Amino acid sequence: MSPAKLQEWFPWTQSPIISNGPMMGVVNPKLAAEVTKAGGLGFLPCVFDIAPNSEHLSTLTTNLKESRSILGLNPSDTLNLGISFLTGHGSITNFSETIIPIVAEYRPAAVWLFAPNEDVKPHGAIIQALKKLDHSPRVFVQVGNVAAARAAVRDGADVLVCQGIDAGGHQFRRGMGVVSFVPEAKAMLEEEFAGREVGVFAAGGIVNGKGVAAAMALGAGGVVMGTRFTVARESTYPDFRKEIVLKAVDGGSSTFKSPFNDEINNSALFDTLWGTHYDGRSIITSIHEKFLAGSTLQELQKSLKEDYSSEESMRLINTWAGTGVGLVNTALPAGEIVKEVREDAKETIRNLAAQL
């Protein structure tokens, strides 16, 4: 599907379309709205507990109200940004009861789904329910390999977010690099779903215009950036984590993709959300170095409690970032990030064309 079709779906956007990842603990309505105002597609932070009367539901409606206010929209207008859900949580069975009325009322332009429980496989029913709305949003499904991409299209996805293993944060354990992933996903769409209009966004390791230009050359119609937006001025990432991101170099050696990044938390919630199908990439600290040197998980969990203060322990884990982190060295407002990256991508493409 052409980028022009994506802009038809999201008419306020400018090409190449740049989105922020819907990162919990980073994104807020101001950041998402500024991405949209700059011609990108902003996403609010993802939620996962959608049981009736949950705190997450309250936060979601508050974020939607605030976003509409920031963007200066009327209640009847489509909300020019997206919302997102982690779909492996047990409460996902409440989607039609609790989320469909919210989507019908606030009319977000997009809904992003990620990390289903593979035994439950809820996306087909969710997408079917969304498509029945009078003003149905475009559905983004984040995937990490071609098999998952194929399943997402069968479920009814409008856009595949093809996340490569260079990404920070959570991703498929059995994933692939974005350089091979996007072209193979595009080939799969052309061969198996020729009659369908399905967009492709690239994600994972993209932090500047050169990365965006490369993604477009691979066939992506848009890109998602996460690590670059963690240090946006509007980001709610704690200042000490922003400092760690900005100081990091050589993303290949300073980050680590492993289930260890969740297991060290020793949290039942992490097990519930991610299970055996997903892991994550974060910035390496002394705790990771000890693990790589042979210390056991149990030894390190004990060490975090006994050998460090709570503040020190926080600094040693959970600073999620991708391999592009070494190229992230300035903190700008979210809207300026979108504009800078978009113009850099255009200039990169023009320079390449001039060489032919």
Side-chain angles (χ1 to χ4, degrees):
M1 190 178 77
S2 71
K5 187 64 178 180
L6 285 169
Q7 287 185 276
E8 181 182 320
W9 287 355
F10 310 112
W12 69 91
T13 60
Q14 298 179 42
S15 183
I17 300 176
I18 296 168
S19 291
N20 64 281
M23 300 165 285
M24 290 186 294
V26 172
V27 179
N28 53 51
K30 180 65 173 174
L31 190 156
E34 291 303 317
V35 169
T36 284
K37 287 163 66 176
L41 175 55
F43 278 91
L44 292 172
C46 59
V47 299
F48 56 83
D49 184 354
I50 61 170
N53 302 314
S54 74
E55 184 177 341
H56 278 214
L57 283 182
S58 176
T59 299
L60 176 60
T61 54
T62 298
N63 286 345
L64 286 164
K65 290 176 183 177
E66 184 176 347
S67 300
R68 186 173 289 282
S69 176
I70 294 171
L71 292 171
L73 299 173
N74 296 317
S76 61
D77 294 334
T78 295
L79 183 57
N80 295 344
L81 47 70
I83 59 177
S84 176
F85 301 92
L86 297 177
T87 57
H89 193 264
S91 65
I92 196 63
T93 55
N94 294 283
F95 196 93
S96 289
E97 175 188 354
T98 61
I99 299 302
I100 289 297
I102 292 174
V103 174
E105 179 177 358
Y106 292 97
R107 299 173 60 183
V111 171
W112 177 313
L113 308 175
F114 177 49
N117 181 314
E118 291 302 309
D119 295 324
V120 178
K121 297 184 177 180
H123 286 183
I126 290 173
I127 295 172
Q128 186 177 26
L130 288 169
K131 296 296 184 185
K132 290 180 180 177
L133 292 170
D134 290 338
H135 300 281
S136 62
R138 297 295 173 178
V139 180
F140 286 57
V141 178
Q142 180 179 334
V143 293
N145 53 48
V146 176
R150 179 181 293 108
V153 178
R154 288 174 177 165
D155 285 338
D158 296 302
V159 177
L160 300 174
V161 180
C162 293
Q163 182 195 40
I165 57 175
D166 281 343
H170 288 90
Q171 56 192 269
F172 279 54
R173 290 194 192 186
R174 297 178 64 184
M176 56 198 297
V178 71
V179 172
S180 55
F181 187 10
V182 170
E184 189 172 353
K186 291 279 290 186
M188 180 271 295
L189 290 173
E190 292 169 3
E191 293 169 8
E192 301 178 28
F193 300 95
R196 289 276 301 278
E197 290 186 316
V198 180
V200 172
F201 275 47
I206 302 170
V207 297
N208 59 22
K210 291 179 175 59
V212 173
M216 293 182 72
L218 294 170
V223 301
V224 176
M225 297 194 303
T227 303
R228 182 70 188 271
F229 284 110
T230 63
V231 297
R233 296 278 173 81
E234 300 87 351
S235 164
T236 55
Y237 222 27
D239 287 342
F240 76 86
R241 297 202 192 278
K242 291 183 179 182
E243 181 181 1
I244 291 170
V245 170
L246 289 168
K247 289 183 176 179
V249 296
D250 185 5
S253 63
S254 64
T255 67
F256 181 43
K257 170 180 160 65
S258 171
F260 173 79
N261 291 310
D262 285 324
E263 293 166 349
I264 190 65
N265 290 286
N266 196 24
S267 166
L269 176 60
F270 280 92
D271 291 339
T272 298
L273 289 178
W274 306 115
T276 60
H277 295 284
Y278 311 98
D279 64 8
R281 183 182 294 279
S282 74
I283 291 180
I284 287 177
T285 68
S286 58
I287 285 292
H288 298 81
E289 297 287 4
K290 290 176 182 178
F291 177 71
L292 292 168
S295 294
T296 68
L297 174 65
Q298 292 71 27
E299 289 170 342
L300 296 175
Q301 288 172 337
K302 182 180 179 182
S303 177
L304 277 178
K305 291 182 178 180
E306 299 179 357
D307 300 334
Y308 303 93
S309 68
S310 58
E311 182 178 336
E312 289 170 332
S313 295
M314 287 177 61
R315 289 178 173 272
L316 292 174
I317 59 175
N318 295 344
T319 300
W320 308 99
T323 60
V325 68
L327 297 169
V328 179
N329 46 41
T330 56
L332 297 171
E336 290 188 26
I337 291 173
V338 173
K339 294 174 184 177
E340 176 190 281
V341 170
R342 185 171 60 230
E343 292 309 309
D344 185 24
K346 292 179 180 179
E347 184 63 22
T348 299
I349 293 168
R350 283 192 288 264
N351 290 338
L352 288 170
Q355 298 176 30
L356 299 179

